[in-house]
Amino acid sequence: MKKCRMICYCNTALLLMILLAGCTGSKDEEAHQPSAVQTDEKHTEPEERTKIRKDEAEPITESEESATKAANDTSSAEEKSKEDNVLAAYSSEKIEYARVWLQLGPNQKIDELNVRHISAGEPINPNDDTSASYPEDVTQLAGSRLVDGSVTYHGNGDGTIHVYNVPLRWDSADDLEKGVMREVTENIIKNRKTVYVDTGDNEKIKRLIDIMMIH
């Protein structure tokens, strides 16, 4: 009877040891086995990086370039339209006078811009009856002071002008030999220059128009 009990105790202890060993093995396997979430993350990360690199390497299409260029052109056109509107209230003649002075005027810091028209046939030097005459209508621009200088020109209507090197004030011709003034004024006509007039800065042009006096 004692032997049977001992055998039962031994069998029970052995069974418990087997069960404990099985549980311990399962926990170890679970600890070493990677989770499904970690596996998915490892597979997902390279895919995302590959997608990003693909997007970065993808070239800009022709339609996208055209859209960008169109947007830039529209912006430039709007800016130019705003600039043009600054001069919209002024006549083309006044704009021309201001542009010529802005480009050729000896002194830009003037407080008044005087405009005088001289017809063809009038003497270049009005103080000398031997003076040669202008072959075409001209416009004389000058400041309010002698030191401001002057510009005498004829507009050709094509963006260019003929510039005559005429002084704003002539010295006395009483002591000149006969025919000298004729030669001087004829040389002024021969040496006139053709100059292309730039459009200039609209704000500066507006300022000159605002101080303009047409005689």
Side-chain angles (χ1 to χ4, degrees):
M1 189 69 178
K2 289 181 179 180
K3 287 183 179 180
C4 289
R5 289 181 179 175
M6 287 294 295
I7 292 171
C8 288
Y9 291 150
C10 289
N11 289 339
T12 301
L14 181 61
L15 181 61
L16 289 172
M17 289 177 64
I18 292 171
L19 290 174
L20 289 173
C23 292
T24 304
S26 298
K27 288 181 180 179
D28 291 341
E29 288 178 2
E30 288 178 0
H32 288 86
Q33 185 176 358
S35 64
V37 175
Q38 291 177 338
T39 304
D40 291 342
E41 287 178 354
K42 289 182 180 179
H43 285 292
T44 304
E45 185 178 354
E47 291 178 0
E48 290 179 351
R49 289 182 181 176
T50 303
K51 183 179 180 182
I52 291 172
R53 285 196 294 269
K54 182 179 178 182
D55 292 341
E56 290 175 350
E58 197 171 304
I60 298 173
T61 64
E62 186 176 346
S63 61
E64 289 174 336
E65 288 182 352
S66 299
T68 302
K69 184 177 183 300
N72 292 335
D73 291 344
T74 302
S75 178
S76 299
E78 288 176 353
E79 289 178 3
K80 187 177 185 305
S81 178
K82 289 179 181 178
E83 290 179 358
D84 292 341
N85 288 337
V86 173
L87 305 178
Y90 303 107
S91 66
S92 58
E93 290 82 6
K94 288 184 177 181
I95 294 173
E96 177 186 282
Y97 305 149
R99 282 175 175 167
V100 171
W101 186 265
L102 185 63
Q103 183 173 338
L104 302 174
N107 182 19
Q108 295 298 315
K109 296 180 180 180
I110 56 175
D111 53 13
E112 187 175 282
L113 179 59
N114 293 286
V115 181
R116 186 166 71 93
H117 297 106
I118 303 173
S119 301
E122 290 191 33
I124 293 176
N125 182 355
N127 302 323
D128 194 313
D129 55 8
T130 66
S131 169
S133 301
Y134 287 106
E136 55 192 351
D137 295 341
V138 298
T139 300
Q140 187 180 72
L141 307 175
S144 59
R145 302 170 299 172
L146 189 62
V147 294
D148 292 333
S150 65
V151 179
T152 302
Y153 75 96
H154 168 79
N156 297 320
D158 60 355
T160 65
I161 58 174
H162 290 153
V163 181
Y164 294 82
N165 187 21
V166 179
L168 182 59
R169 182 180 296 175
W170 291 89
D171 295 330
S172 176
D174 295 340
D175 57 347
L176 293 178
E177 293 181 10
K178 188 176 181 180
V180 171
M181 184 55 65
R182 181 77 183 182
E183 183 180 351
V184 170
T185 50
E186 284 180 347
N187 284 335
I188 289 175
I189 296 172
K190 290 177 184 177
N191 294 323
R192 72 183 182 185
K193 296 180 180 179
T194 301
V195 176
Y196 177 81
V197 180
D198 297 329
T199 55
D201 183 278
N202 285 351
E203 291 295 337
K204 293 179 180 179
I205 291 170
K206 181 181 181 301
R207 175 190 171 274
L208 289 170
I209 293 175
D210 290 341
I211 61 173
M212 193 175 290
M213 299 290 293
I214 300 178
H215 302 281

